[in-house]
Amino acid sequence: MRTVTKDTITDVFAGYFGTDTDPRVREVLVALARHLHAFTREVNLTHEEWQKALEIMEWAGRITTPERNEFVLMSDVMGLSSLVDMVNSRADATSSSVLGPFHVSNAPPLAMGGDMKRDFGGEVLLVEGHVRDTAGNPIAGATLDIWQTAPNGLYSSQDPDQDIHSFHGLMTCDDDGRYAFTTVKPVSYTVPTDGPVGEILNAAGRHPWRPSHLHYIAAAEGFRTLVTEVFPDDDPYLDQDTVFGVRDDLVMHYESRPADTFPDGMELSGKVKEDYLQVTFDVVLANA
Ligand code: BEZ
Ligand code: FE
C-alpha cells in the first residue's frame, strides 16, 4: 500500500514482514506496534512529547554502563520488569521478584548458620527456612545466593567503604533442604534518581523508595531458578514499592526474641547478648 493513514498504519506495518519471518518475532513486533500506535492515537502524542521521550532514551543510553543499566531501572519503575515476572510465574511455586542491579557474581560461600553481619551495627536478624519442591519434598543441596544493603542503605557495589562481597553470601541447603544464617535487618532505600528515571519519577510526583528486603536467587538441579525477595510486614513502603516487587507470599513477620533463646549451632551462638529478630522464609521451586 502506497498511501498510509493513521487508521491503516498498523496493518501496513504488519504487512511489511517477510514471509519467512520467525512467527514469534512477528507476533511480538506486530503487537508492540499495535500498542504503540494505539497509545499515540489515544493521547494525541505531540512532537515535543515524542522528542522528550527520545531524549530520555538517549540520556539513559549515555549513562548506562555494565555496572549501572538505566534501561533496566526504567523497566523496573514502569512496572514492566515485575509484569514480566508475573506473567511467567508458576502459581504453585514461590513468587519471583525483581533482580535489581546490585547483585554481585561469585558471592563467597556462607556456611550453614554463618553470619553476614560481621562488624556492622544493628540488631541481629536470624533468617531460616527450607527449600522444597511443589510436592513439599526438601531439595537437598539447593543453593541460595543472598544479598542485601548494609545498614546505611547502600549495596556493596554502591559503597566504596564496603568490601565488594559484604552482605553477599552463597548458602547450600542441608539434606532436609534447610538453611539458616544471621545478618542485620535490611533498611528501606531509594533507587538511583540522578538520571532520567529520577526525572520520570519526579514528573509523576512519585517517590523513589523500596521497602527493605533480602534478595535470593534459589537454584537446584532440575528446578527453575527463582529470583526473589523477602520483605518484613512492618515496612512503611510495602504498599508503594517504586519497582512493584512486593507479593503477598514474600511478606514475612520478623519476630523479636530474647537473647537467651538464640539457637546453638550458629556462628553467633553465645555472642548474642540483646534481643534479636527472627524470620522464617520457605522457598518452593517449580520443576524445570
Ligand atoms: C533492588 O532491589 O536492588 C533494586 C531493584 C530495582 C531497581 C533498583 C534496585
Ligand atoms: Fe534491593
Side-chain angles (χ1 to χ4, degrees), residues 7 40 42 51 89 113 148 167 169 225 230 254 266:
D7 297 318
T40 306
E42 180 185 326
Q51 198 64 43
S89 81
Q148 67 169 97
F167 291 105
T225 296
V230 55
Y254 289 37
M266 307 279 300

Side-chain angles (χ1 to χ4, degrees), residues 165-186:
H165 285 132
S166 91
F167 291 105
H168 286 75
L170 185 67
M171 159 94 31
T172 302
C173 295
D174 69 12
D175 287 348
D176 295 324
R178 183 170 183 277
Y179 73 92
F181 63 96
T182 48
T183 182
V184 281
K185 189 179 178 185

Side-chain angles (χ1 to χ4, degrees), residues 99-100 102 147-149 155 189 210 213 215 229:
L99 172 68
F102 302 118
W147 72 106
Q148 67 169 97
T149 54
Y155 285 95
Y189 64 87
R210 290 216 66 203
H213 52 270
H215 289 273
E229 305 178 272

